[in-house]
Amino acid sequence: MTSSLTMAETEATNFLRVLLQQDPEHIQTWLRMVWAEQQQVPEKFNWLGLAEVSTFRAQELANEEPNEFYLESLAWAEIASSVYEFLAENNPSFSERYLDSLMGLRAYMILKFGAIPENPVLDIYLIINWFFDNLHISYQEALIKAADWREALASKNPEETQKSLIANLKISEN
């Protein structure tokens, strides 16, 4: 039993290594086929590894000057985005982590290239909508908490600030 798991893990690792040697368009085509259930994925495939390597490549290329790698950078970011979305949908207990990574990537790319409406990576409204969908306090509550924080931080006394903030947290939990 152990050797078959090792074999599956080895196969999945080798597949990911070969996949990451391809150009982003090839990987995007493979992903579309996987999502359409027209392509098999090796058992134990490292989806998070694919997302993280794609994120790294997107950000690395976005930092090149002059930015002749704009389209390739966006292509890697699109791969990472689709994989993070897939992971979030299929792993509810970790979905917040995957979506945080996705939104961080989108924010980074928007800072580098600007916002473009309806672009799967550069649409700033995807971040704004995600933020407000996950906001668990009302606008009025946020204003009150912000005023409390400003007041506490204005004291410039770390111990008093900490006591005040802890007291506010305990009040808001009740």
Side-chain angles (χ1 to χ4, degrees):
M1 178 99 179
T2 305
S3 63
S4 67
L5 284 177
T6 304
M7 190 94 120
E9 290 169 348
T10 301
E11 178 187 335
T13 300
N14 288 337
F15 183 82
L16 179 59
R17 189 177 329 108
V18 170
L19 186 65
L20 288 169
Q21 292 172 358
Q22 308 301 313
D23 61 56
E25 290 75 22
H26 178 87
I27 297 171
Q28 288 172 330
T29 300
W30 178 78
L31 285 171
R32 281 191 291 274
M33 292 176 68
V34 168
W35 305 153
E37 298 180 358
Q38 298 172 343
Q39 182 74 43
Q40 290 290 319
V41 179
E43 182 183 346
K44 304 282 187 184
F45 184 72
N46 185 354
W47 288 104
L48 184 57
L50 176 58
E52 289 175 341
V53 170
S54 299
T55 296
F56 174 78
R57 289 183 179 175
Q59 292 174 338
E60 184 177 52
L61 290 167
N63 286 320
E64 293 291 322
E65 293 294 333
N67 199 327
E68 58 193 61
F69 300 106
Y70 169 80
L71 292 176
E72 187 176 355
S73 176
L74 278 181
W76 283 110
E78 285 180 27
I79 292 166
S81 295
S82 64
V83 174
Y84 281 130
E85 287 173 347
F86 168 78
L87 287 168
E89 289 171 13
N90 291 284
N91 299 287
S93 58
F94 294 104
S95 67
E96 189 173 321
R97 174 179 177 231
Y98 299 135
L99 292 176
D100 287 349
S101 295
L102 171 57
M103 296 307 156
L105 171 62
R106 283 182 173 146
Y108 185 88
M109 300 301 283
I110 289 169
L111 287 172
K112 288 294 186 181
F113 301 127
I116 299 176
E118 299 186 27
N119 180 286
V121 174
L122 301 176
D123 187 344
I124 198 164
Y125 291 105
L126 293 171
I127 297 174
I128 292 169
N129 291 337
W130 168 79
F131 175 80
F132 283 110
D133 287 346
N134 290 285
L135 192 59
H136 301 294
I137 62 172
S138 71
Y139 179 73
Q140 193 63 32
E141 287 175 284
L143 288 175
I144 292 167
K145 287 183 184 284
D148 291 343
W149 278 81
R150 268 193 296 281
E151 182 181 319
L153 293 172
S155 76
K156 297 187 181 181
N157 179 336
E159 289 89 23
E160 285 302 313
T161 300
Q162 185 177 10
K163 287 178 189 173
S164 175
L165 295 176
I166 289 171
N168 279 328
L169 287 174
K170 287 180 180 173
I171 291 168
S172 65
E173 288 175 356
N174 296 331

